[in-house]
Amino acid sequence: MNALQVSDLSFAYGAREALRQVGFALPAGQFAALLGPNGAGKSTLIALLTRLYDVQRGEIRVGGHCLQASPRAALRQLGVVFQQSTLDLDLSVEQNLRYHAALHGLSRRQGGSRIDAELARQGLAERRHERVRNLNGGHRRRVEIARALLHEPRLLLLDEPSVGLDPGSRQALGLHVRQLCSEQGISVLWTTHLLDEVQPGDALLILHQGRLVASGRADAVSQAHGGDLGSAFTRLTTSGVCS
Ligand code: ADP
Ligand code: MG
């Protein structure tokens, strides 16, 4: 069963169309990069997947559960790290996680053991009692990932997680998240506008003016549309899209 299935999804802010008939599937354990220039509709898609906005047209299924018909079951399978960080810099790593464990209905003891497990998985066990303010950008993102995984979802959404990170931290974060997929079977949808965050073996979705203009393995997409990813991306995202 697919971790995520999006079918014929369209969305408009008033008269402004932001997504047009978007459809794709994300199998379990797959890392997928959703690549698109600013304004392509990436955050709108994340907002629909997390039910910040109601679906206007089309369907979203998370772990087989229809988001519109069974929102609780669908959202339970899903963890999200939004584009803007929502950590409290003056709280410790653990304190930032504690509140969310309680929100998910975990007892203090269950919460404690989930926090142990996630911090260990993110390589942050030693930083547990430090204030988030003392962590570098990459490690702050990992705290957010630990928080998003506290309730053990099968699908993790990351909206432009590398913005503001230095190149070394960006690369380390990308490696780390791909490992979560290959070793733990979590599926990841990673949005970005940066070509160098896509690796040849990644599943790639290219969004342009709200429309999915290419999907497939990144190396195959590159080959089909210009040879290298840069030319393919330019070719696919410079033309206008007819509605
Ligand atoms: P991305 O995340 O790829 O940069 P967005 O999903 O934020 O793209 O935006 C897609 C389109 O929708 C853009 O044209 C943007 O201006 C528009 N948009 C986004 N949010 C709103 C909003 N709250 N109201 C009106 N238009 C919006
Ligand atoms: Mg965005």
Side-chain angles (χ1 to χ4, degrees):
M1 185 201 304
N2 287 318
L4 175 63
Q5 176 103 39
V6 171
S7 316
D8 195 27
L9 191 67
S10 296
F11 186 84
Y13 297 97
R16 187 189 201 114
E17 281 187 67
L19 292 176
R20 310 166 197 230
Q21 296 175 302
V22 170
F24 65 92
L26 192 57
Q30 188 168 73
F31 176 96
L34 176 68
L35 179 67
N38 285 332
K42 303 180 296 294
S43 293
T44 301
L45 177 63
I46 299 286
L48 287 168
L49 294 175
T50 49
R51 221 162 167 256
L52 293 183
Y53 299 132
D54 280 329
V55 168
Q56 294 169 343
R57 200 188 138 169
E59 189 186 65
I60 296 170
R61 286 187 170 271
V62 187
H65 302 285
C66 174
L67 186 62
Q68 297 102 302
S70 314
R72 276 178 175 227
L75 289 173
R76 183 142 192 355
Q77 302 289 323
L78 189 148
V80 62
V81 176
F82 288 109
Q83 192 164 346
Q84 302 293 337
S85 171
T86 53
L87 295 171
D88 187 320
L89 300 183
D90 291 322
L91 294 181
S92 71
V93 168
E94 176 177 352
Q95 286 168 328
N96 268 283
L97 297 181
R98 275 279 173 205
Y99 177 65
H100 281 258
L103 273 186
H104 284 298
L106 300 175
S107 69
R108 186 145 183 94
R109 178 193 286 233
Q110 284 171 325
S113 72
R114 289 295 305 127
I115 289 171
D116 285 345
E118 284 311 325
L119 289 181
R121 183 147 80 165
Q122 308 304 326
L124 287 173
E126 319 278 275
R127 317 296 298 271
R128 184 176 184 133
H129 299 296
E130 271 188 61
R131 281 215 272 173
V132 168
R133 192 178 293 284
N134 295 339
L135 270 53
N136 69 28
H139 285 152
R140 289 181 193 179
R141 276 304 196 196
R142 287 193 193 199
V143 175
E144 291 194 282
I145 292 173
R147 188 177 66 183
L149 296 177
L150 276 181
H151 60 296
E152 302 182 85
R154 303 304 299 159
L155 170 66
L156 177 63
L157 309 175
L158 296 158
D159 195 6
E160 306 231 22
S162 61
V163 167
L165 301 186
D166 61 68
S169 304
R170 271 175 50 199
Q171 204 183 12
L173 187 68
L175 258 172
H176 174 69
V177 170
R178 283 178 181 81
Q179 254 173 20
L180 285 177
C181 296
S182 60
E183 292 172 11
Q184 322 261 347
I186 292 172
S187 309
V188 167
L189 186 64
W190 167 296
T191 85
T192 183
H193 64 275
L194 300 168
L195 293 170
D196 66 356
E197 292 189 358
V198 181
Q199 295 189 356
D202 291 342
L204 174 64
L205 304 160
I206 299 183
L207 198 62
H208 172 50
Q209 297 181 354
R211 207 181 280 281
L212 206 55
V213 291
S215 64
R217 246 180 79 118
D219 46 8
V221 170
S222 304
Q223 227 165 35
H225 298 276
D228 62 281
L229 186 59
S231 330
F233 185 71
T234 306
R235 188 170 288 185
L236 288 163
T237 59
T238 40
S239 60
V241 172
C242 306
S243 349

